[in-house]
Amino acid sequence: MLKKIGIGILLVLPVIVGLAFTKPDSFSLERSTTINAPADSIFPHLNDFHNWGAWSPWEKLDPAMARTHSGAASGPGAVYEWTGNSDVGSGRMEITDATPPSTVTIKLDFLSPMEAHNTTLFTLEPAGAATKVTWKMSGPNNFMSKVMTVFMSMDSLVGGDFEAGLANLKAVSEQ
């Protein structure tokens, strides 16, 4: 029986590896929403990591998560680091660029459960009396990421979290 399982794995493994090699070297995903508030009232929720607890979809996944803030209080140089359970892992974010009230760029480094180095960009565009907020994440697809995307897309992994976060941001911003 074990011999048959071993042979099955040996037959399937090259197919998975072959499919992984066909995956792109980078990924990009984004979600947008329209918030009934001016950009200058939404911008501080994005530009200051101290405000992320009110809207980030990952903050409530581990109430015991350890969080540290360092660097600038907000804007470029602001740093947020976390260590938590298997749902949130550990990582670091640093705001690398911010143009009030239209863009915030963040260097996002996941350290565990799987290492990844990505860029996050928030853009805020006028939409009449409201503001269109777009949350985009992009980064390289290393070999392990490519193997994972044989079974599921990055969009299916994170897209729903972006939608939840934008809905939370909308609720907080429209208060």
Side-chain angles (χ1 to χ4, degrees):
M1 179 66 165
L2 289 176
K3 186 175 180 180
K4 288 181 183 181
I5 291 172
I7 291 171
I9 291 171
L10 287 175
L11 292 174
V12 172
L13 196 59
V15 172
I16 293 170
V17 170
L19 289 171
F21 278 116
T22 68
K23 300 296 182 179
D25 291 332
S26 62
F27 77 93
S28 179
L29 73 108
E30 70 178 56
R31 293 291 192 274
S32 296
T33 194
T34 300
I35 298 176
N36 294 314
D40 60 354
S41 69
I42 301 166
F43 186 80
H45 295 292
L46 304 172
N47 194 50
D48 184 342
F49 290 132
H50 296 93
N51 296 331
W52 280 48
W55 66 269
S56 171
W58 297 288
E59 286 292 323
K60 293 172 183 56
L61 292 178
D62 180 4
M65 180 169 59
R67 302 160 179 87
T68 59
H69 296 89
S70 61
S74 65
V79 174
Y80 174 79
E81 295 177 83
W82 73 92
T83 302
N85 63 21
S86 61
D87 292 330
V88 296
S90 65
R92 181 181 192 275
M93 295 189 291
E94 180 176 354
I95 297 176
T96 58
D97 190 36
T99 305
S102 59
T103 62
V104 176
T105 305
I106 299 168
K107 180 179 184 258
L108 173 58
D109 297 312
F110 295 104
L111 304 175
S112 71
M114 195 165 104
E115 188 172 346
H117 305 283
N118 302 320
T119 300
T120 300
L121 174 65
F122 290 95
T123 57
L124 295 87
E125 303 172 60
T131 304
K132 178 183 177 188
V133 179
T134 301
W135 187 356
K136 178 179 182 179
M137 182 170 70
S138 57
N141 257 346
N142 62 26
F143 181 72
M144 285 308 297
S145 296
K146 290 179 180 186
V147 170
M148 279 182 34
T149 60
V150 168
F151 302 100
M152 64 184 73
S153 72
M154 193 62 142
D155 192 78
S156 67
L157 281 172
V158 184
D161 293 330
F162 277 28
E163 291 166 9
L166 288 171
N168 295 343
L169 181 64
K170 180 179 177 74
V172 166
S173 298
E174 290 180 354
Q175 287 181 359

